[in-house]
Amino acid sequence: SQTIHQWPATLVQPVGSPLSLECTVEGTSNPNLYWYRQAAGRGLQLLFYSVGIGQISSEVPQNLSASRPQDRQFILSSKKLLLSDSGFYLCAWSQGSGNTIYFGEGSWLTVV
Amino acid sequence: AQSVTQPDIHITVSEGASLELRCNYSYGATPYLFWYVQSPGQGLQLLLKYFSGDTLVQGIKGFEAEFKRSQSSFNLRKPSVHWSDAAEYFCAVGASSGYALNFGKGTSLLVTP
């Protein structure tokens, strides 16, 4: 069966510091991968998605970037964090187009 | 582009009472529709989905949802709510040719004794 893991689960970082959140999927090949951010009262915002290695689509202009160095690995990064980057970040995957998206456990980021 | 509206931000029901959470979507073609549930501090779990066929969809944990094209709605229902159902519920819409889903802002469900 397929599983998705993301880490770290919780992170407290000072303003201006770098960020790296990592996500891996097991039990499938060539998945579509996603990063969503969830801020209180604002639902889920799609940040990035990827349909293959090195293929990244950005949905909103922001301080963050994403990379997909391997088929089942998706990384969310920032060179310099802002206070507004605080939130709950969710990695997710799906297979093919128009299919169900499955979520990881989430990562809490607090920028102080 | 597709979008989703969940009109109710918070809903409170008594344990054992029936539940209906509203979801309205906007999409030109036949949408793919989903309901997810999120417990505090956790990821989202799929409750049910509609792609085609029977418009009444059964999901996990006793939930069901009905797709009504004429009303552009996909409301979630449960005949008898349990205290463990207290959580955040998200409706989402996707397209057969698309990848990512668009989510509503969620409805927070509180269950009272």
Side-chain angles (χ1 to χ4, degrees), chain B residues 29-97:
Chain B
T30 299
Y32 286 5
L33 295 161
F34 306 80
W35 275 100
Y36 287 83
V37 61
Q38 183 183 34
S39 297
Q42 297 186 17
L44 278 71
Q45 181 184 23
L46 178 70
L47 283 176
L48 49 78
K49 60 187 177 184
Y50 171 79
F51 284 0
S52 64
D54 192 346
T55 56
L56 184 62
V57 181
Q58 301 298 319
I60 62 171
K61 304 184 180 185
F63 286 93
E64 66 178 26
E66 186 170 13
F67 170 58
K68 292 185 177 181
R69 185 188 300 276
S70 61
Q71 299 178 21
S72 297
S73 69
F74 189 56
N75 294 347
L76 182 71
R77 300 193 295 248
K78 186 170 185 178
S80 178
V81 171
H82 188 262
W83 64 266
S84 60
D85 293 324
E88 189 90 12
Y89 291 80
F90 291 94
C91 182
V93 62
S96 59
S97 59

Side-chain angles (χ1 to χ4, degrees), chain A:
Chain A
S1 63
Q2 301 87 1
T3 58
I4 179 170
H5 300 288
Q6 61 177 106
W7 67 92
T10 305
L11 197 59
V12 180
Q13 291 286 98
V15 170
S17 65
L19 170 73
S20 181
L21 298 179
E22 189 166 340
C23 172
T24 59
V25 180
E26 298 176 358
T28 186
S29 60
N30 196 32
N32 303 318
L33 297 172
Y34 310 85
W35 279 110
Y36 281 87
R37 177 169 58 199
Q38 186 176 21
R42 296 179 62 184
L44 280 81
Q45 180 186 36
L46 177 64
L47 302 176
F48 302 94
Y49 73 92
S50 171
V51 299
I53 296 175
Q55 300 178 59
I56 309 293
S57 296
S58 174
E59 291 297 301
V60 292
Q62 58 207 319
N63 185 44
L64 303 169
S65 62
S67 61
R68 184 170 177 172
Q70 300 181 46
D71 181 44
R72 291 170 291 173
Q73 183 185 28
F74 206 26
I75 298 172
L76 184 69
S77 304
S78 174
K79 292 182 179 179
K80 291 185 178 181
L81 284 168
L82 306 172
L83 287 174
S84 58
D85 292 324
S86 294
F88 191 49
Y89 288 82
L90 290 155
C91 183
W93 73 274
S94 69
Q95 198 72 57
S97 63
N99 272 324
T100 304
I101 290 181
Y102 298 96
F103 287 85
E105 309 93 339
S107 297
W108 282 104
L109 171 64
T110 303
V111 182
V112 296

